[in-house]
Amino acid sequence: MAAELPTLRVCALYPTLMNIYADRGNLLMLERRCEWRGIGFELTGAGIGQALDPDAADLYYMGGGQDRDQMLCATDLYEHKRLALGAAAERGALVLGVCGGYQLLGHSYELGNQTLPGVGLLDANTVRSDGPRLIGNVAIEVDLPGVGTRTLAGFENHGGRTHLGPDAEPLGRVLKGHGNNGRDGREGVRCGNVIGTYLHGPLLPKNAWFADWLITTALELSEPLAQLDDTLEQLAHADACKAAGL
Ligand code: GLN
């Protein structure tokens, strides 16, 4: 008898407030790629005032948001979800933050005379700059366990500049675009199973390989995932790389 396929349990943090540039598409991508392979998919959400269960998901996800929406979420995240999210990361759950979500996974986000607290899962600090927003198509080179050196392509639009602390490794090297702060050639951050990136797009439909890496890693699968017909996904990836100027 064939082994029973697992279920990917995803928890979206602030799914309505932290969802800019169609970041919700990342969840749909995970759902479809699981479904097409007969892998179960369960999606829960944790909004303002809702408790976060540190054992209930394999992947915790927070999309991007405008400063205004981040302000609404930051205190709730810090006061009511920080410990649970920390416990989830500690037991090995994947945590992925995109743009505004990435910023809130770091230590803090300074905006003028206000400092939004972050949950401190990533050794990174973000400061809102008076300079121009960092906008445009972006491509980065990443090196991840099990897949080697690959390209992620997407779109960025952020006023915040993120600087990594001494304990942090970037998710990737900027090939085209601005990255964390437009200066040091670094994009995103990966601290074990906690990942932040500025790439919207949404990220996963433009980078199907990364969606599969997340599924494999979150479920701790030892066997490769079943192949899918990725003709369209490969075109989307190629197009995003081309748009970035690769
Ligand atoms: N508000 C944040 C910034 O401008 C994040 C923006 C976003 O998520 N696109 O830096």
Side-chain angles (χ1 to χ4, degrees):
M1 209 171 81
E4 205 178 309
L5 286 165
T7 292
L8 180 70
R9 301 168 306 155
V10 178
C11 176
L13 292 155
Y14 312 103
T16 46
L17 284 169
M18 297 299 282
N19 171 42
I20 204 169
Y21 288 121
D23 280 345
R24 189 184 287 126
N26 291 325
L27 299 169
L28 271 175
M29 182 75 173
L30 291 170
E31 180 177 8
R32 293 291 187 276
R33 292 185 79 76
C34 284
E35 203 177 89
W36 288 334
R37 295 176 165 116
I39 298 174
F41 183 84
E42 265 174 35
L43 178 63
T44 50
I48 286 181
Q50 292 178 311
L52 187 68
D53 182 343
D55 296 311
D58 310 299
L59 168 61
Y60 292 80
Y61 167 75
M62 181 161 45
Q66 299 192 18
D67 290 350
R68 193 184 54 231
D69 294 329
Q70 282 175 282
M71 283 178 201
L72 294 173
C73 298
T75 309
D76 181 82
L77 180 68
Y78 184 83
E79 287 180 0
H80 302 297
K81 298 182 176 60
R82 176 175 50 104
L83 296 180
L85 196 58
E90 186 71 31
R91 72 166 171 82
L94 267 184
V95 181
L96 173 67
V98 172
C99 201
Y102 161 30
Q103 294 170 342
L104 295 183
L105 292 180
H107 299 300
S108 61
Y109 178 24
E110 295 169 33
L111 291 134
N113 54 12
Q114 216 186 342
T115 300
L116 304 185
V119 292
L121 286 180
L122 296 171
D123 185 17
N125 192 46
T126 302
V127 181
R128 184 76 150 85
S129 158
D130 290 335
R133 295 184 70 80
L134 304 181
I135 305 178
N137 293 302
V138 51
I140 66 171
E141 183 180 79
V142 302
D143 199 346
L144 290 169
V147 288
T149 305
R150 304 292 289 259
T151 304
L152 282 176
F155 174 77
E156 61 183 329
N157 181 352
H158 49 111
R161 270 57 165 172
T162 299
H163 295 276
L164 306 187
D167 295 339
E169 286 295 325
L171 172 64
R173 180 174 75 84
V174 175
L175 299 172
K176 297 282 179 185
H178 302 287
N180 282 340
N181 49 54
R183 299 188 130 186
D184 63 14
R186 303 165 121 201
E187 203 294 313
V189 56
R190 183 167 88 89
C191 176
N193 44 323
V194 184
I195 297 172
T197 177
Y198 273 110
L199 271 61
H200 295 285
L203 171 68
L204 299 183
K206 291 187 175 183
N207 300 281
W209 73 265
F210 188 55
D212 285 353
W213 184 85
L214 291 173
I215 295 169
T216 306
T217 308
L219 290 176
E220 297 177 29
L221 301 177
S222 49
E223 297 289 313
L225 289 170
Q227 286 282 339
L228 298 173
D229 174 1
D230 275 339
T231 313
L232 286 175
E233 288 76 2
Q234 276 159 16
L235 284 173
H237 181 69
D239 206 53
C241 289
K242 194 170 156 210
L246 277 191

